[in-house]
Amino acid sequence: MQLSVIILNYNVRYFLEQCVLSVQKALEGIDGEIIVIDNASSDGSCEMMKTKFSHIKLFENKENLGFPKGNNIGVAHAKGEYICILNPDTVVAEDTFSKIFNSQFVTHNSQLGIIGCKLIDGSGNFLPESKRGVPTPWVAFTKIFGLYKLFPNSSWFNSYYAQHLSESESGEVSILVGAFMVMKREVYVSLGGFDENCFMYSDDIDLSYLAIKSGKKNYYFADTTIIHYKGESTVRDEMYMKRFREAMQFFYKKHFKKSCFFDVMMKIGTVLFSFFKKIQSQNEKRKIDKYVVFSSQPYLNILNIENDKVIYETDFKQFKNDITKKIEVVFDVSSYDFKSIIHFMETNNFKNISFKNYFSGSNYMIGSLNSNDKGEVNKINYHILKKNDNN
């Protein structure tokens, strides 16, 4: 078997369903499998998997074992030569895996460590953590105090987000994000997998760093893009702040010499960083002026609202952005492939536009406004319009 996709889920039932659907499409033509590990979700995630994806391997943990241990359980059952660690609040394109396996990083590289790809958030904006440098004490300092923004072209200050590469430029980087990691299973095992002494948040940094220290090379692959509804699996509350501080302290204690000054700086910095993240993560109140629904079923009213606020389209090329209005674009994902939807989001990531995905025949839409938004599930009641009801 070529590839095992490991998806660790915790209370994101609707996002998990979309993720699994996208992975199934991406595995067509590839000898692969999907393994879902559930960390004691209480939202019906396991029931959904058993009902809609009974053929997929599902492992139900009796408690929330954390990100590292949950993924390690999945990898232990994987049969693929390669594994992909994938967040449940992601959407991959139909050709994501085939492009990666046909890239020079895989076909002509005996030193391959981990491959990541381009990630965008629910509003179509690039997520800079798709590629990062090793967060040494100095690099972490430039991140925490925003120096990388002031001096983006200086190698002294721009290492945290690996700014030697643009978002559309593939190349070698040090650190990749745990939302999407592809590597040989034997590499993962040789590195010891994710360190279970860390509950979450710095485990991907640690694994990436261990790969480099072992002589491997990590790569950012910009030729495929996936959606990461960042923040959906985690509420930015007091527990988040506590675990974030613990994760950063874990990484520095493991890999760098102890420094009282640095410990104090990190405590101050992580408190400030976590505090601002918590504020930014509050859902934005947004009044929609106009809805644009893309569906091959133009008379399917999935919004159940006034017709004068809704435009129904079947062709992405027909879309015209009215910058004077706040627009919500709704995709019927049963009518279009994920690759086309992702491309549309990337090329129309304007401040006045938000996006939602709808599954034909379902009763919900999902999306998020930005990388700090918790993510949103909207329950809907749709009905079929009569032709004379739709202007």
Side-chain angles (χ1 to χ4, degrees), residues 328-343:
E328 182 143 286
V329 176
V330 180
F331 302 104
D332 176 359
V333 300
S334 304
S335 301
Y336 306 94
D337 59 57
F338 287 112
K339 181 181 178 181
S340 298
I341 293 172
I342 292 170
H343 178 71

Side-chain angles (χ1 to χ4, degrees), residues 75-173:
V75 174
H77 290 88
K79 298 179 180 178
E81 178 186 3
Y82 289 84
I83 59 168
C84 174
I85 304 297
L86 186 67
N87 265 32
D89 53 354
T90 59
V91 176
V92 300
E94 284 78 3
D95 59 357
T96 290
F97 297 127
S98 60
K99 277 191 171 182
I100 286 176
F101 285 126
N102 288 325
S103 71
Q104 61 178 346
F105 302 133
V106 172
T107 58
H108 298 90
N109 195 338
S110 61
Q111 294 179 297
L112 177 64
I114 306 171
I115 298 179
C117 73
K118 184 178 182 181
L119 278 69
I120 59 172
D121 64 18
S123 60
N125 291 305
F126 175 68
L127 288 170
E129 62 268 25
S130 301
K131 53 182 180 65
R132 289 173 287 179
V134 177
T136 61
W138 168 250
V139 171
F141 182 87
T142 65
K143 160 62 177 173
I144 291 170
F145 293 97
L147 299 179
Y148 72 97
K149 295 180 180 179
L150 298 176
F151 309 100
N153 298 318
S154 171
S155 59
W156 283 91
F157 301 98
N158 67 4
S159 295
Y160 189 86
Y161 286 127
Q163 289 167 280
H164 67 286
L165 294 176
S166 70
E167 65 181 75
S168 58
E169 185 180 5
S170 300
E172 185 176 349
V173 297

Side-chain angles (χ1 to χ4, degrees), residues 192-313:
F194 287 118
D195 192 328
E196 296 180 10
N197 292 310
C198 176
F199 190 81
M200 62 194 310
Y201 296 131
S202 67
D203 31 58
D204 51 358
I205 300 174
D206 179 56
L207 189 69
S208 297
Y209 191 49
L210 289 174
I212 294 172
K213 290 176 68 176
S214 72
K216 301 294 183 181
K217 293 184 177 180
N218 300 332
Y219 296 94
Y220 167 71
F221 183 63
D223 290 346
T224 187
T225 303
I226 73 170
I227 305 170
H228 182 201
Y229 297 101
K230 186 185 172 187
E232 171 56 28
S233 298
T234 306
V235 179
R236 262 59 168 178
D237 55 11
E238 294 300 322
M239 182 57 70
Y240 165 82
M241 295 173 69
K242 178 177 181 293
R243 285 179 173 165
F244 180 83
R245 291 196 300 269
E246 290 174 347
M248 296 308 296
Q249 290 165 357
F250 161 81
F251 180 76
Y252 286 103
K253 286 180 180 178
K254 181 174 179 178
H255 295 289
F256 298 98
K257 293 181 179 179
K258 183 176 177 58
S259 165
C260 293
F261 171 77
F262 186 70
D263 283 346
V264 172
M265 186 198 76
M266 282 303 300
K267 287 179 181 178
I268 296 173
T270 53
V271 168
L272 291 174
F273 182 69
S274 300
F275 175 74
F276 287 119
K277 277 290 185 183
K278 181 182 177 183
I279 293 176
Q280 294 170 356
S281 69
Q282 301 301 315
N283 285 339
E284 179 184 336
K285 299 297 181 182
R286 182 182 178 91
K287 182 181 178 181
I288 304 299
D289 300 312
K290 183 173 70 174
Y291 294 85
V292 178
V293 179
F294 284 104
S295 176
S296 61
Q297 305 177 70
Y299 301 112
L300 179 65
N301 185 353
I302 64 176
L303 299 174
N304 203 20
I305 60 176
E306 303 90 345
N307 285 345
D308 59 354
K309 292 184 65 175
V310 185
I311 295 176
Y312 295 90
E313 299 284 3

